[in-house]
Amino acid sequence: MEQPAYQNPLRTGAMRPAELLPWLAAGSGFFLFPDYLQLGAQILIMVLFAMSLDMILGYAGIVSLGHAALFGTGAYTAGILSAHIGWSEPLSGLVIAGLVAGVVGLVCGAVILYTRGLTLLMLTLAVTILLQELANEQEHWTGGDDGLQGVVMQPLFGVFEFDLYGRTAYLYALAVLFVVFLAARAIVNSSFGQSLRGIRENERRMHAIGCPVYRQMLRAYTIAAVMAGVAGALLAQTTEFVALDVLSFERSGDVMIMLILGGTGRLYGAFIGAPLYMILQDQLAKLSPEYWLFGIGALLVATILYAPEGMLGLAERLRAWVRREDS
Amino acid sequence: MINSLVSIAFDGLAFAMVLFIISVGLSVTMGLMGFVNLAHGMFAMLGGYIAVSFIRELGVPFLLGAPLGCVAVALISVVLERTLYRRLYGGDELQQVLLTIGLVFMGIAVCTFLWGPLNVQLDVPSYLKGQVDLGFRRFPTYRTFIILVSFAVIIALWYGFERTLLGAKVRAAVDNQRMAETVGINIRRLFTLTFALGSALAALGGALGTEILGLTPTYALEYLVYFLIVVAVGGLGSLRGAFAASLILGVVDTAGKYYLPAFGAFFIFAVTIILLLWRPQGFYAR
């Protein structure tokens, strides 16, 4: 086996040509599928959400079943800002929602990251369900089971109205995704990102070489929380509605499945998994919800058994195999 | 006031016993193999459905239907264990979580296809209907029956765990797997056996508990969280822990829903978080 050449992790400026592919696809999607831009915007939002999970799961190795807690916090923050406080400027709303989710992530993370394994899994799950029950109960603020209505968005930059076809929504989501992606890419390629990988691979050894494991994990968790909050806020703003299911256990599960299908620990996994999952869901659920559930279950089992690295891992293995055949 | 407290204690106890019977197998198998089996709730659900089918479609008597469901589920679980679970032993927990969630999705789809999306009722025979007089108060007969059966199961489990060779092997393997292997215990076979037993118990709880928990295809996900809480709060592989956690969970949940229904499941999750922060490894960590 050929060893990959050592790359200076701090030098992250240039993008490889292959890295442009998803962006080209997303950009051309705008012109190719003008009737599906609402769905497209939601896919982009889930890509962002899955990428945020990748930060903690793929890089730091924190298995969380409660990532929806942060997504929902962002969604409700953005929604309540507009519906109750009258703050309907989208960009500042997005920033505020990200910050609020970041604070929630910091506080939750500070507590749960003392635990590992099943306990951590259960704590993340319990926090999400607790928040969902709280949102359900605080009907005055959240609309409870009926969802939060009355979210209105001012035009983006005061110019671009959010239209029925989702043109503005799509481009808005794409632009935010791109900006957050650049930040995430710089973070995971920094020395901080390297130390996260170290923690994932062998936590004890990282302790032994003097890495502040807990602090690094908490940092990663908070960053991921901000990203998830931004994704949630995008959903609230582009659909001008917040449903209670933004905080559900199912959403935490969905996003994890998307990430696994695409492949963890490479940021781009989210770009494969989220569209695959959502397009399959859109098509199969039309036939019957049982088909969809059975299909996604079988796909998940097959992925774990035969392609544990996800679609991207499969592609890499395939490429390595083709190369070996050539030489 | 006293009356409602007694009702809550009684209903809470019945719920707790169903929780315990279902969760205890999960606790032991997770303690034994460290395998995060999210499909455990599905086994309980299947037990309920299969028992209902035996009783309704084939006219099997009630007291025979549930055991038949247990046997069927035990067989299904062994097949899954041999073909799928076994490949991920010692692997990372994320893969186990996802594999079993995939199985749950498939199970839900199959159950919806076979039994429909609506709630299926277990037909209780007439001698278990109505109320029974326990001297100071009357109680629903069926729930009294659940509690009595559960006590019998608990005594049998305790005996099997503490007084038989098999139980000694299981305890040894939970405590220290390598050491147990070194003294000649066949861990793999032991695990298959406990896995089948645990699934059968889940099926029993599923069949008995339909009156309390209902029976719809989403059961497998809906109650999974409860079973996991019992295991996490009680401590992996501990009978006593699972029992204590079931009691707390059953009573707190019943009381919360009785006094403050608007908060739904808020209380049990708040209690869970507090208990887990207090004892991250559970009550009786081994």
Side-chain angles (χ1 to χ4, degrees):
Chain A
M1 279 292 282
E2 196 185 333
Q3 288 290 319
Y6 175 73
Q7 283 180 321
N8 184 350
L10 289 174
R11 235 184 265 152
T12 59
M15 284 172 96
R16 281 177 291 141
E19 285 190 77
L20 293 173
L21 272 177
W23 303 106
L24 284 176
S28 51
F30 181 75
F31 300 102
L32 291 176
F33 304 104
D35 297 336
Y36 286 97
L37 289 181
Q38 286 286 7
L39 176 67
Q42 296 206 10
I43 291 177
L44 292 173
I45 290 166
M46 287 314 279
V47 170
L48 180 56
F49 187 30
M51 199 195 290
S52 108
L53 182 64
D54 204 11
M55 283 291 274
I56 55 167
L57 195 147
Y59 286 92
I62 304 167
V63 182
S64 163
L65 273 181
H67 212 45
L70 306 161
F71 184 84
T73 303
Y76 273 115
T77 306
I80 288 172
L81 268 181
S82 165
H84 289 289
I85 302 173
W87 188 302
S88 296
E89 202 285 311
L91 278 179
S92 54
L94 200 67
V95 172
I96 295 171
L99 290 178
V100 171
V103 170
V104 171
L106 181 66
V107 173
C108 291
V111 178
I112 61 171
L113 289 176
Y114 277 113
T115 62
R116 295 287 180 274
L118 177 69
T119 312
L120 192 145
L121 213 68
M122 291 312 297
L123 280 175
T124 54
L125 190 62
V127 167
T128 318
I129 298 177
L130 210 60
L131 283 180
Q132 193 182 16
E133 291 289 343
L134 209 62
N136 188 22
E137 203 268 335
Q138 295 288 324
E139 271 180 40
H140 169 69
W141 287 102
T142 62
D145 216 13
D146 298 328
L148 179 62
Q149 317 231 348
V151 182
V152 188
M153 278 297 117
Q154 284 171 10
L156 197 57
F157 304 121
V159 183
F160 304 104
E161 295 253 8
F162 283 92
D163 53 310
L164 272 178
Y165 305 102
R167 279 193 290 255
T168 311
Y170 188 88
L171 292 178
Y172 178 41
L174 185 58
V176 172
L177 175 63
F178 187 65
V179 171
V180 177
F181 167 77
L182 286 183
R185 188 172 178 273
I187 290 169
V188 299
N189 287 323
S190 69
S191 55
F192 167 65
Q194 291 287 0
S195 74
L196 288 184
R197 268 178 227 138
I199 292 169
R200 180 190 67 195
E201 294 303 323
N202 194 329
E203 196 182 321
R204 275 196 198 164
R205 210 171 280 176
M206 290 302 280
H207 266 301
I209 63 169
C211 169
V213 169
Y214 172 76
R215 215 191 315 156
Q216 299 291 67
M217 285 172 92
L218 185 57
R219 253 184 221 157
Y221 199 79
T222 310
I223 294 168
V226 173
M227 287 166 67
V230 167
L234 272 180
L235 185 70
Q237 293 182 339
T238 54
T239 56
E240 302 197 327
F241 180 72
V242 185
L244 203 53
D245 80 341
V246 291
L247 281 168
S248 65
F249 167 48
E250 283 79 7
R251 190 172 287 270
S252 302
D254 286 350
V255 71
M256 187 182 274
I257 294 169
M258 290 178 197
L259 183 61
I260 298 302
L261 289 181
T264 59
R266 10 163 86 86
L267 288 187
Y268 281 102
F271 287 83
I272 309 280
L276 180 70
Y277 184 94
M278 292 188 70
I279 292 169
L280 267 179
Q281 184 178 36
D282 190 58
Q283 296 298 315
L284 282 176
K286 268 184 213 154
L287 297 174
S288 121
E290 289 96 74
Y291 284 150
W292 155 241
L293 214 51
F294 192 87
I296 194 68
L299 187 60
L300 197 55
V301 170
T303 306
I304 295 302
L305 291 181
Y306 302 109
E309 304 265 277
M311 298 299 154
L312 281 181
L314 204 63
E316 259 165 37
R317 276 214 310 237
L318 204 66
R319 210 175 57 180
W321 182 74
V322 169
R323 271 198 197 148
R324 216 169 341 145
E325 291 288 294
D326 281 349
S327 58
Chain B
M1 179 66 197
I2 301 262
N3 225 348
S4 64
L5 277 183
V6 173
S7 286
I8 287 171
F10 180 80
D11 286 345
L13 181 64
F15 182 38
M17 289 303 96
V18 171
L19 276 181
F20 174 76
I21 292 193
I22 296 179
S23 314
V24 69
L26 184 62
S27 178
V28 172
T29 47
M30 273 171 93
L32 202 60
M33 266 321 200
F35 194 98
V36 185
N37 177 21
L38 298 192
H40 196 74
M42 185 180 75
F43 293 145
M45 174 175 82
L46 278 178
Y49 273 126
I50 293 173
V52 166
S53 289
F54 268 121
I55 294 165
R56 268 207 197 147
E57 315 291 332
L58 300 174
V60 171
F62 178 80
L63 291 179
L64 199 62
L68 282 174
C70 294
V71 173
V73 170
L75 289 176
I76 294 171
S77 75
V78 167
V79 170
L80 286 176
E81 198 264 332
R82 290 268 157 153
T83 53
L84 296 176
Y85 285 41
R86 180 150 287 190
R87 304 170 66 147
L88 293 182
Y89 288 158
D92 73 304
E93 62 194 9
L94 177 64
Q95 295 200 345
Q96 301 165 351
V97 164
L98 290 160
L99 177 87
T100 48
I101 278 280
L103 288 177
V104 171
F105 283 168
M106 291 163 78
I108 292 177
V110 169
C111 286
T112 314
F113 183 74
L114 289 177
W115 287 285
L118 298 177
N119 192 26
V120 172
Q121 278 285 328
L122 188 68
D123 307 315
V124 176
S126 54
Y127 55 87
L128 287 176
K129 281 183 184 148
Q131 308 236 312
V132 61
D133 199 345
L134 292 187
F136 62 105
R137 243 203 83 161
R138 299 175 69 79
F139 291 103
T141 312
Y142 187 70
R143 294 199 176 186
T144 315
F145 170 72
I146 290 180
I147 294 174
L148 288 179
V149 171
S150 307
F151 282 164
V153 169
I154 289 168
I155 291 169
L157 266 178
W158 173 82
Y159 183 82
F161 218 58
E162 301 287 338
R163 291 284 183 273
T164 64
L165 184 61
L166 178 68
K169 282 181 180 174
V170 171
R171 279 182 289 137
V174 170
D175 277 350
N176 191 332
Q177 205 184 110
R178 270 197 198 169
M179 204 59 206
E181 269 183 310
T182 313
V183 297
I185 296 173
N186 186 339
I187 296 280
R188 289 279 161 113
R189 200 190 315 147
L190 189 67
F191 186 70
T192 307
L193 204 60
T194 35
F195 191 76
L197 271 175
S199 308
L201 277 175
L204 179 68
L208 284 178
T210 47
E211 195 245 354
I212 298 174
L213 303 179
L215 190 57
T216 56
T218 51
Y219 179 115
L221 278 180
E222 222 170 287
Y223 292 105
L224 173 67
V225 181
Y226 284 69
F227 309 145
L228 284 173
I229 290 177
V230 170
V231 175
V233 168
L236 295 179
S238 159
L239 283 189
R240 273 187 304 172
F243 185 74
S246 301
L247 269 185
I248 292 176
L249 193 63
V251 174
V252 169
D253 193 50
T254 310
K257 279 178 179 155
Y258 187 87
Y259 287 115
L260 289 162
F263 278 91
F266 185 87
F267 285 100
I268 53 160
F269 290 103
V271 169
T272 302
I273 290 175
I274 293 166
L275 289 177
L276 280 181
L277 291 177
W278 175 48
R279 283 272 174 102
Q281 301 301 319
F283 289 149
Y284 296 100
R286 277 179 177 270

